[in-house]
Amino acid sequence: MAFTHKARVLAALRGEMVDRLPYVPRLDLWYLANSTSGTLPKQYAGAAMNEIARAEGWPFHHRFCDNQLDPAYQPLYLHRGIGVFYSRDTPYDVVLPKDVEVEVRRTGPRTQVTYRTPLGSVSTLMHYDVDSQRHGITNPAVIEHLIKTPADYAPAGYLFEHMDVVPSFERYRRWKEEDIGDNGVAVAVGCLVASPMHWIQHDLCDATQFFIHSKDCQDEMRGLAERIAPLQEKILNLVAQSPADVVWWGSNFDEMITFPPYFAKEIQPWIRKAAQALNAAGKLVLCHTDGENRGLLDLIRDSGMNIAESLCPAPMTKVTLAEFCRHWTPRMSLFGGIPSTVVMPGTSEADFEAYMDQLFRAVAPGQRIVVGIADEVPPSAVFSRLQRIGERIEKEGRLPLEAGAFRPTPDAAQARATTQVAAATAPRAPDDVFQTVRQDVFKGKHRDIARHVEDLLAQGQPASQILERGLIAAITQVGDRMASGEAFIPEVLLAARAMTTAVDVLAPHLAASGDKQRGKVLIGTVTGDMHDIGKNLVVTMLRGVGFDVRDLGINVSRDKFYDEVAAFEPDVLGLSSLLTTTMMEMRTIVAGMKDRGLDERCKIIVGGAPVSEEFARQIGADGYARNAVEAVRLVKRLMAQDAPALAD
């Protein structure tokens, strides 16, 4: 049987055995960045993205990016701050309430959108410029979210409660039939967020603030979710009637951000609901599972989704491709499997070929697999490697594959509990006067801890002892529990907030006693990257254990790093990146530090989802940490010079 690209991919996604492994590299980010920078391969200079894919014999991927520097496309993304798009792959349009006035102000790369409702006004601020596009960033970055204070919940609720959706089937059909045709699968965007609460977390609230609000504003947040739910139900019912074969429902799942108890309560039921409605209509449900999913393996497997797309295995995450295949393919299909770092210049040719060798063994016999680059093909990808993957799949990807002597490693995820872990408690010693403040940290009691610290000071306890034996001991234990998977990000953030409150009380007493801080750390997320939750945890943990930390925030230019290193004179510079599209900026900054002699003033450490210890070595950094706990240990080690930052 001869397969078209569309038929082969669809059959694989449905769990059928096809003639060979489908290979679908998603070129959106790569194409957008390189066409903007004029760095497309010479043979494809000036070519459209689909022309390149067709020439290479690759199926088209479901998403197509728009040039948002072209004013014609900007209105499609105007409401990105509330999670609303008007793209070709969306078979419906959201209609805003008639009694809500929308005010748009553009200032250079910044766009502020204000929604004036009968219950008050709320606004978003977005950023997009040519540098964003050169980095392959496809959506405007939200600088200020809709929900900033508790007062924003009421007008936001009104806005969502009175939205409506209408079909745009004809627009979607034209894209599906004319742009995609038999060259690929036109995945329809149902909802990029899986549930009403996920909508708040993903789009409406700052990543860190979401977890604080979930503690402080529970009623307001739950009320907003209840007002979003009818809109999401309408979207689900409408896409079930659409001409799509596959519908995207939910994205960006990660064991830290969408941690297991939260996923089980707020996300999994809605995926099941979507799967029930869409499967009944003959459609497959695709979820964008691009994060660290070790702690979510069982929950995702049991969610009812049909396709785990953007599958990102080790070495970028902790789960091997073999584990994913064994754990998930009995129930759902996998789309991805090649970490984007594998096709980047930092990975040697030998390591690239070795990864491909193990891929063929890991996915055997090859059913329920569509090979792709996870999350997407990065702008700095070595194009010849994309071609080489296609060549090897053509030669070696005939199905069924033979696994040979391959034996996957044991799946440690089966031993992981996915229920809510109770707040930590420390052993109580009868004469331990610091137990109360430790418990305040464990339980996130930021309102009580200031009074308890003042009580200890009044009793004559030295500020340094309160800090070391009370606060640092507690936050270290919380960090250790997070590293072992026993604590989740809300617990850590709430504990950190309590810690910060206590340190503020102690600060003047520590200064008066002449106690010195451990050292100075400068930290920021590199240019082109707007993610900060991991960086914020590192900042909080470092401050909690006594370091003087200057946080430069997100989207920090290389010149800003150089200037601040010269001015602040830190002992350690920390660089953060969550995107493969921006991690190469770290290499440039490290090289710039060396060129300016600034590397002699401080150590340089790196971290973030796509970053690895090997990458840190390659770019000349002094250390790598994969989470906040390891970052604190690394900084302490570098400061003490007890051991080299990276193993030989």
Side-chain angles (χ1 to χ4, degrees):
M1 174 183 177
F3 285 93
T4 64
H5 285 319
K6 175 182 178 180
R8 181 179 291 111
V9 173
L10 264 180
L13 294 178
R14 289 171 177 152
E16 302 166 13
M17 183 67 78
V18 293
D19 57 338
R20 63 176 170 83
L21 288 173
Y23 168 48
V24 190
R26 180 175 173 183
L27 298 176
D28 303 46
L29 303 188
W30 171 86
Y31 180 81
L32 188 67
N34 286 283
S35 60
T36 301
S37 301
T39 52
L40 289 171
K42 290 182 180 179
Q43 68 270 35
Y44 293 125
M49 184 175 70
N50 57 353
E51 292 173 0
I52 298 173
R54 187 180 289 110
E56 294 291 338
W58 301 332
F60 298 168
H61 199 281
H62 51 82
R63 289 298 301 268
F64 281 82
C65 297
D66 295 316
N67 176 7
Q68 294 177 54
L69 300 176
D70 183 343
Y73 289 104
Q74 292 174 358
L76 305 182
Y77 298 84
L78 184 62
H79 302 293
R80 180 262 186 274
I82 59 173
V84 172
F85 301 88
Y86 298 96
S87 53
R88 298 181 293 283
D89 52 0
T90 306
Y92 63 88
D93 284 337
V94 173
V95 180
L96 300 183
K98 293 182 179 179
D99 61 348
V100 172
E101 177 188 352
V102 179
E103 178 184 302
V104 180
R105 292 184 178 179
R106 297 189 188 275
T107 306
R110 298 291 174 93
T111 301
Q112 183 179 54
V113 183
T114 301
Y115 304 90
R116 304 190 188 284
T117 81
L119 299 183
S121 297
V122 282
S123 65
T124 66
L125 181 64
M126 297 171 290
H127 177 99
Y128 197 85
D129 58 13
V130 67
D131 284 337
S132 302
Q133 197 151 295
R134 286 183 182 135
H135 280 100
I137 297 171
T138 57
N139 290 322
V142 181
I143 305 299
E144 293 181 7
H145 288 76
L146 194 76
I147 304 294
K148 306 174 189 65
T149 72
D152 294 327
Y153 281 96
Y158 186 94
L159 177 65
F160 276 88
E161 187 174 19
H162 294 84
M163 286 181 184
D164 200 0
V165 290
V166 295
S168 288
F169 292 168
E170 186 55 34
R171 180 185 65 201
Y172 169 79
R173 194 189 308 275
R174 286 197 305 271
W175 174 68
K176 176 184 178 183
E177 296 177 357
E178 298 174 11
D179 292 347
I180 305 295
D182 286 333
N183 289 300
V185 176
V187 176
V189 174
C191 212
L192 298 182
V193 290
S195 70
M197 190 61 73
H198 194 212
W199 201 322
I200 298 172
Q201 179 189 31
H202 190 271
D203 293 317
L204 307 185
C205 202
D206 170 78
T208 304
Q209 200 66 21
F210 171 80
F211 294 106
I212 300 298
H213 279 210
S214 66
K215 173 71 172 179
D216 295 349
C217 311
Q218 294 181 33
D219 293 342
E220 294 91 338
M221 187 174 281
R222 181 58 58 189
L224 176 57
E226 291 172 356
R227 286 163 177 79
I228 293 173
L231 177 69
Q232 208 158 7
E233 293 271 11
K234 291 179 181 179
I235 291 172
L236 178 57
N237 292 334
L238 196 149
V239 294
Q241 302 169 37
S242 75
D245 299 300
V246 181
V247 175
W248 182 340
W249 194 272
S251 58
N252 305 127
F253 303 147
D254 179 274
E255 68 174 3
M256 182 176 77
I257 307 302
T258 56
F259 58 99
Y262 170 83
F263 190 97
K265 180 180 179 181
E266 301 292 352
I267 293 179
Q268 191 187 62
W270 272 83
I271 297 177
R272 286 176 177 160
K273 180 186 295 188
Q276 182 178 5
L278 295 170
N279 291 170
K283 306 178 194 309
L284 300 176
V285 176
L286 174 149
C287 295
H288 188 73
T289 56
D290 58 329
E292 177 60 74
N293 286 310
R294 164 70 75 192
L296 300 175
L297 282 174
D298 290 346
L299 289 166
I300 289 176
R301 179 197 62 196
D302 300 336
S303 67
M305 73 175 73
N306 306 115
I307 306 159
E309 188 259 357
S310 215
L311 184 78
C312 188
M316 278 186 66
T317 67
K318 294 181 287 188
V319 186
T320 66
L321 181 56
E323 288 179 282
F324 275 127
C325 290
R326 188 175 68 258
H327 211 81
W328 284 357
T329 53
R331 297 196 189 180
M332 58 190 186
S333 298
L334 311 184
F335 195 148
I338 301 179
S340 56
T341 51
V342 171
V343 298
M344 293 173 68
T347 298
S348 69
E349 288 295 327
D351 288 342
F352 164 72
E353 294 290 350
Y355 186 86
M356 291 303 300
D357 290 342
Q358 70 90 19
L359 179 142
F360 289 113
R361 297 193 300 269
V363 304
Q367 193 171 7
R368 290 188 176 277
I369 302 290
V370 175
V371 178
I373 313 299
D375 178 6
E376 303 184 34
V377 176
S380 59
V382 179
F383 190 74
S384 62
R385 289 188 183 171
L386 304 182
Q387 295 172 312
R388 175 64 174 155
I389 295 169
E391 292 170 359
R392 289 200 59 173
I393 285 179
E394 182 67 29
K395 293 178 181 178
E396 305 168 59
R398 299 291 169 176
L399 302 184
L401 298 173
E402 294 292 336
F406 177 71
R407 295 291 183 269
T409 57
D411 188 354
Q414 294 178 354
R416 288 284 304 275
T418 56
T419 55
Q420 178 68 58
V421 178
T425 56
R428 175 177 289 276
D431 58 348
D432 188 350
V433 296
F434 304 108
Q435 177 66 16
T436 299
V437 294
R438 284 207 295 271
Q439 289 293 331
D440 288 340
V441 173
F442 294 145
K443 297 178 181 179
K445 293 185 175 181
H446 69 288
R447 293 188 176 90
D448 295 338
I449 197 168
R451 173 168 48 85
H452 292 151
V453 168
E454 293 283 10
D455 289 345
L456 289 174
L457 290 169
Q459 294 168 22
Q461 295 295 335
S464 61
Q465 289 296 297
I466 299 172
L467 177 66
E468 291 288 341
R469 295 177 60 188
L471 306 180
I472 291 179
I475 202 68
T476 299
Q477 186 173 341
V478 172
D480 289 343
R481 294 182 67 246
M482 182 183 75
S484 67
E486 299 175 74
F488 303 116
I489 194 168
E491 297 170 67
V492 179
L493 288 172
L494 293 171
R497 180 172 62 169
M499 174 92 180
T500 301
T501 300
V503 170
D504 288 343
V505 176
L506 288 176
H509 300 274
L510 292 169
S513 66
D515 288 325
K516 296 182 179 179
Q517 290 182 304
R518 294 175 183 262
K520 297 163 68 175
V521 180
L522 181 70
I523 191 170
T525 303
V526 301
T527 188
D529 202 323
M530 305 295 175
H531 295 87
D532 67 356
I533 190 165
K535 172 188 66 63
N536 291 349
L537 276 175
V538 173
V539 169
T540 301
M541 293 287 287
L542 285 170
R543 284 175 176 162
V545 298
F547 285 95
D548 180 9
V549 183
R550 179 174 293 183
D551 182 4
L552 299 181
I554 58 177
N555 194 33
V556 182
S557 70
R558 61 191 69 159
D559 288 336
K560 179 70 171 176
F561 278 116
Y562 304 148
D563 292 344
E564 290 291 332
V565 167
F568 186 54
E569 298 184 342
D571 299 290
V572 177
L573 169 64
L575 305 176
S576 174
S577 168
L578 196 71
L579 304 171
T580 54
T581 56
T582 60
M583 63 186 288
M584 297 307 292
E585 181 70 10
M586 291 178 169
R587 182 193 296 273
T588 304
I589 293 170
V590 173
M593 290 281 290
K594 294 181 184 299
D595 290 344
R596 292 162 174 78
L598 296 173
D599 62 315
E600 298 176 2
R601 302 190 186 185
C602 65
K603 301 293 186 180
I604 305 172
I605 65 173
V606 295
V611 184
S612 66
E613 184 170 323
E614 181 182 2
F615 178 76
R617 282 197 190 94
Q618 291 169 351
I619 67 174
D622 296 293
Y624 155 77
R626 67 177 182 178
N627 58 46
V629 178
E630 290 188 8
V632 172
R633 291 171 180 162
L634 174 62
V635 171
K636 287 181 178 179
R637 190 164 71 244
L638 289 173
M639 291 288 295
Q641 292 293 303
D642 289 335
L646 298 175
D648 293 331

